[in-house]
Amino acid sequence: MSHQTDYRRGRHCVFNLHVHLVFVTKYRRGVLSHEHIRFLTGVFADVCARFDAHLLECDGEDDYVHLLVTYPPKVAVSTLVNSLKGASARQLRNRYTVRTHRNHLWSPSYFAASCGGAPLDRIRGYVENQRTPR
């Protein structure tokens, strides 16, 4: 599946971990525009960098976003998700006027799937094509 160059190295490990994440807005309210998603992509990338993770793809629709992230084994996915959702909601609210429910942008739940079995190009293409042309 992966070439040796795809593996990342830590101090005591070699790894190639990817997670597909989906966050939905509170009550699936359609509050995200294309501009918001572009802004959130930068926020998500910054948060990932703080965890020594990399945001590979990000896209979505009015009421959800998909992310494809590669991350080191020292990072708990739940901790990464909490930081991604918290920072993105806070920074989006500070930059734009977004109609949320009681200042909650995201639903408290999320979807996370390991991407070890599926070809990453297929997942990348799926995430890239979330927003339909308008």
Side-chain angles (χ1 to χ4, degrees), residues 34-83:
H34 183 64
E35 181 181 350
H36 293 147
I37 292 173
R38 277 197 326 256
F39 175 77
L40 288 173
T41 299
V43 174
F44 292 144
D46 291 344
V47 171
C48 285
R50 290 197 301 262
F51 283 87
D52 194 26
H54 301 288
L55 179 66
L56 301 177
E57 289 297 333
C58 177
D59 208 345
E61 284 286 342
D62 297 346
D63 61 349
Y64 64 88
V65 292
H66 284 258
L67 295 81
L68 179 59
V69 178
T70 180
Y71 64 99
K74 67 183 178 184
V75 172
V77 172
S78 61
T79 303
L80 178 62
V81 165
N82 287 339
S83 291

Side-chain angles (χ1 to χ4, degrees), residues 94-128:
N94 288 341
R95 173 100 182 240
Y96 298 97
T97 302
V98 179
R99 197 190 77 213
T100 60
H101 178 75
R102 296 184 181 167
N103 287 330
H104 294 284
L105 175 63
W106 303 116
S107 164
S109 58
Y110 63 93
F111 169 83
S114 168
C115 300
L120 287 178
D121 287 341
R122 178 171 283 181
I123 295 169
R124 182 185 301 260
Y126 176 77
V127 172
E128 279 177 350

